[in-house]
């Protein structure tokens, strides 16, 4: 269906792609893996017509093209589900599916019922629990990802490109997506599937192509003998541990305590504490209320009632500015919408929360640059310069910029909401190591995560949220996948919950 030959693309200061050759067969799931900055996103943007290659050839159904534009790519049956959010928040699900190609009736009047009915048919076909009339801004991040899939399927694609489709999902919804991918391919649609979750791709891939530094390194036929360690070595150019476990730290006195927290009048009160040098994991299904809890603590959402104590003192946090002044930093799950100022440079995004660190009310530009460069080096952020607009960095490097902001601000409590979403295996290990080092320095971390191995490996304690309340709390050897999942879906509760909160 698709063949590319010697595709190359250069940006100022960065050679993003160099002689990429790739092919896709009808009904095949061909996975692409690689570190952040390896060229995956650039390649799919060339296939979708969003970027023009400097050189190379693209063949679709035996037709040769030197480049595509978005209209041509769509007319050839190429559809992309991007990792970034490309939906219109104020529109309904059905309106987003048909935006730009609305169904109309007599006299050109938009046929809303017709659009809703067709959208519902796709929802039912995919087996997704979603209302076609719901407004997108009222949906959770995972449901918005489903909307992007529905939108792509409504275009009757021949080639479907999926960029990190499961990063927003918990275990249950991930299983739904993986099944859908296989179902879609069995209908003759060629699927290009990009993911950092190596165990996930080995379940669905027919072939796996590895990119590194903008080049094709290897291509594996998937089967029982596929070696994850070999794939990771190809990705990073050296051997790397797929799993990482938190290093031991001295857990000290209580730093943060939440008492009787209610997000609205009808919600159940929430109580938990966080200690110095500790990583407190927060688990639960998507939509259970995990993110809402940490946003309320950070002052991003209103609190109906309850108290927050910081280092033994009751505090009032009515907005993020007060949380930051207290010593709390927030790495959000949606880095593009709520984590970054996309139009600002890398250096400005890093220092924006810590401008008070410059004396006299004046920013010392040399000092600002030196500080930013330190974190670029520490976190191995791939950017052509500190002045590069952060919107042009890969997703994983954007996440590192957000983390660098709070390291520069030197906060005492870090809230990580899905800390390694959309990040490659090598960068994951780097972030886990940094989190361990932070706790050894006496910093404290609240970590919301849908990644079960991450929760088990990195948490000292885990509280499980179900339907807006804490249903369980586990520590030590009780932090198991079975205990967490059973509590997340309301099957059981641990008798030691009060002790572990």
């Amino acid at each position: 269906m698709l063949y590319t030959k010697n595709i190359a693309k250069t940006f100022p200061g960065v050679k993003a792609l160099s002689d990429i050759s790739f092919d896709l067969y009808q009904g095949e799931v061909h996975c692409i893996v690689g570190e952040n900055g390896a060229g995956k996103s650039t390649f799919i943007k060339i296939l979708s017509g969003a970027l023009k290659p400097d050189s190379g050839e693209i063949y679709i159904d035996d037709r040769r093209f030197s480049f595509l534009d978005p209209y041509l790519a769509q007319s050839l049956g190429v559809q992309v589900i991007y990792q970034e959010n490309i939906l219109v928040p104020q529109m309904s699900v059905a309106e987003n599916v048909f935006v730009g190609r609305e169904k109309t009736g007599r006299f050109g009047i938009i046929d809303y019922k017709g659009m809703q009915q067709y959208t519902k048919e796709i929802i039912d076909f995919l087996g997704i629990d979603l209302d076609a009339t719901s407004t997108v801004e009222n949906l959770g991040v995972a449901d918005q990802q489903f909307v992007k899939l529905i939108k792509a399927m409504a275009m009757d694609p021949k080639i479907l490109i999926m960029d990190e489709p499961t990063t927003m999902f918990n275990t249950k919804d991930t299983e739904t997506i993986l099944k859908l991918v296989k179902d879609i391919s069995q209908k003759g649609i060629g699927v290009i599937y990009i993911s950092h979750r190596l165990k996930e791709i080995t379940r669905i891939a027919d072939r796996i192509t590895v990119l590194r530094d903008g080049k094709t390194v290897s291509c594996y036929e998937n089967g029982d003998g596929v070696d994850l360690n070999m794939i990771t070595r190809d990705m990073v150019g050296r051997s790397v541990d797929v799993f990482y476990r938190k290093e031991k730290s001295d857990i000290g006195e209580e730093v943060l305590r939440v008492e009787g927290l209610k997000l609205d009048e009808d919600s159940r009160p929430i109580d938990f504490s966080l200690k110095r040098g500790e990583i407190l994991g927060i688990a639960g299904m998507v939509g259970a209320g995990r993110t809402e809890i940490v946003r309320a603590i950070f002052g991003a959402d209103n609190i109906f009632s309850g108290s927050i104590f910081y280092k033994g003192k009751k505090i009032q946090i009515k907005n993020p500015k007060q949380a930051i002044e207290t010593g709390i930093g927030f790495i959000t799950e949606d880095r593009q919408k709520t984590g970054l100022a996309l139009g600002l440079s890398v250096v400005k995004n890093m220092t924006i929360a810590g401008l008070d660190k410059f004396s006299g009310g004046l920013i010392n530009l040399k000092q600002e640059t030196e500080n930013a460069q330190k974190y670029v080096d520490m976190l191995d952020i791939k950017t052509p310069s500190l002045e590069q607009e952060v919107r042009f960095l890969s997703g994983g490097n954007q996440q590192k910029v957000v983390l660098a902001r709070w390291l520069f601000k030197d906060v005492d409590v870090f809230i990580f909401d899905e800390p390694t979403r959309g990040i490659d295996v090598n960068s994951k290990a780097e972030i886990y190591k940094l989190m361990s080092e932070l706790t050894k320095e006496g910093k404290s971390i609240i970590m919301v995560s849908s990644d079960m191995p991450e929760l088990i490996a990195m948490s000292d304690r885990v509280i499980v949220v179900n339907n807006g309340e804490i249903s369980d709390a586990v520590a030590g050897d009780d932090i198991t996948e079975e205990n967490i999942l059973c509590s997340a879906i309301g099957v059981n509760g641990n008798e030691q919950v009060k002790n572990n909160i």
Side-chain angles (χ1 to χ4, degrees), residues 13 34 49 86 134 140 167 173 178 194 204 235 273 320 345 419 448 480 501:
I86 56 170
S134 296
T167 56
D173 288 333
L178 296 182
I194 297 173
I204 62 168
M235 286 171 59
S273 65
S345 65
V448 177
T480 66
I501 287 177

Side-chain angles (χ1 to χ4, degrees), residues 89-152:
Q90 295 79 18
M91 287 185 175
S92 70
V93 172
E95 289 170 327
N96 268 279
V97 168
F98 284 93
V99 66
R101 56 186 196 92
E102 290 79 4
K103 284 181 174 289
T104 57
R106 294 182 63 188
F107 311 114
I109 297 173
I110 295 176
D111 181 9
Y112 288 104
K113 286 187 177 180
M115 293 193 301
Q116 291 167 6
Q117 179 59 36
Y118 187 74
T119 302
K120 185 179 183 304
E121 289 174 5
I122 299 174
I123 290 172
D124 292 341
F125 166 75
L126 295 174
I128 299 170
D129 183 16
L130 200 61
D131 185 347
T133 64
S134 296
T135 304
V136 164
E137 64 183 352
N138 295 329
L139 299 178
V141 177
D143 282 338
Q144 291 184 19
Q145 191 78 346
F146 278 132
V147 176
K148 290 190 280 184
L149 175 58
I150 297 165
K151 182 180 175 74

Side-chain angles (χ1 to χ4, degrees), residues 137-207:
E137 64 183 352
N138 295 329
L139 299 178
V141 177
D143 282 338
Q144 291 184 19
Q145 191 78 346
F146 278 132
V147 176
K148 290 190 280 184
L149 175 58
I150 297 165
K151 182 180 175 74
M153 292 302 294
M155 296 293 290
D156 194 21
K158 295 179 181 177
I159 298 170
L160 182 62
I161 304 174
M162 307 178 77
D163 187 8
E164 298 287 354
T166 62
T167 56
M168 308 298 181
F169 295 132
N170 56 32
T171 304
K172 179 175 177 287
D173 288 333
T174 294
E175 290 297 321
T176 301
I177 283 290
L178 296 182
K179 183 179 182 301
L180 286 174
V181 170
K182 294 304 291 184
D183 290 345
I184 289 168
S185 67
Q186 287 168 8
K187 295 184 182 300
I189 297 172
V191 179
I192 299 175
Y193 189 98
I194 297 173
S195 178
H196 290 118
R197 297 180 175 182
L198 299 186
K199 286 191 174 182
E200 179 178 293
I201 66 170
T202 57
R203 292 177 53 190
I204 62 168
D206 294 300
R207 284 186 295 159

Side-chain angles (χ1 to χ4, degrees), residues 164-359:
E164 298 287 354
T166 62
T167 56
M168 308 298 181
F169 295 132
N170 56 32
T171 304
K172 179 175 177 287
D173 288 333
T174 294
E175 290 297 321
T176 301
I177 283 290
L178 296 182
K179 183 179 182 301
L180 286 174
V181 170
K182 294 304 291 184
D183 290 345
I184 289 168
S185 67
Q186 287 168 8
K187 295 184 182 300
I189 297 172
V191 179
I192 299 175
Y193 189 98
I194 297 173
S195 178
H196 290 118
R197 297 180 175 182
L198 299 186
K199 286 191 174 182
E200 179 178 293
I201 66 170
T202 57
R203 292 177 53 190
I204 62 168
D206 294 300
R207 284 186 295 159
I208 302 168
T209 288
V210 182
L211 301 186
R212 185 175 77 235
D213 297 330
K215 298 178 181 178
T216 304
V217 176
S218 54
C219 182
Y220 295 93
E221 294 282 345
N222 193 22
D224 295 336
V226 67
D227 188 343
L228 288 180
N229 290 322
M230 188 176 293
I231 292 174
T232 56
R233 278 197 300 272
D234 287 349
M235 286 171 59
V236 303
R238 59 179 174 80
S239 180
V240 64
D241 292 331
V242 177
F243 300 104
Y244 182 90
R245 184 166 290 277
K246 176 182 180 286
E247 299 173 21
K248 287 187 177 180
S249 59
D250 293 327
I251 296 177
E253 71 281 359
E254 181 180 283
V255 174
L256 186 74
R257 170 165 284 277
V258 176
E259 289 186 357
L261 176 68
K262 296 180 67 173
L263 304 182
D264 56 58
E265 186 176 2
D266 298 324
S267 63
R268 297 290 297 273
I270 295 164
D271 302 271
F272 66 87
S273 65
L274 175 70
K275 297 177 181 177
R276 181 177 57 79
E278 179 183 44
I279 295 181
L280 175 68
I282 301 183
M285 308 301 279
V286 171
R290 302 167 305 167
T291 295
E292 289 78 2
I293 291 170
V294 293
R295 281 179 57 86
I297 294 170
F298 191 65
D301 289 343
N302 292 328
I303 295 174
F304 178 76
S305 63
S307 302
I308 300 175
F309 296 85
Y310 181 74
K311 296 183 178 179
K313 181 181 178 182
K314 186 175 180 179
I315 58 173
Q316 293 287 335
I317 299 179
K318 295 183 178 180
N319 54 59
K321 184 174 184 291
Q322 291 177 337
I324 295 167
E325 290 171 349
T326 299
I328 302 173
F330 190 10
I331 296 93
T332 69
E333 66 171 336
D334 190 342
R335 53 182 169 256
Q336 293 211 340
K337 183 178 179 182
T338 56
L340 294 165
L342 294 175
L344 294 184
S345 65
V346 170
V347 61
K348 296 304 180 187
N349 268 280
M350 286 184 180
T351 60
I352 195 169
L355 297 179
D356 59 314
K357 296 173 73 69
F358 299 102
S359 59

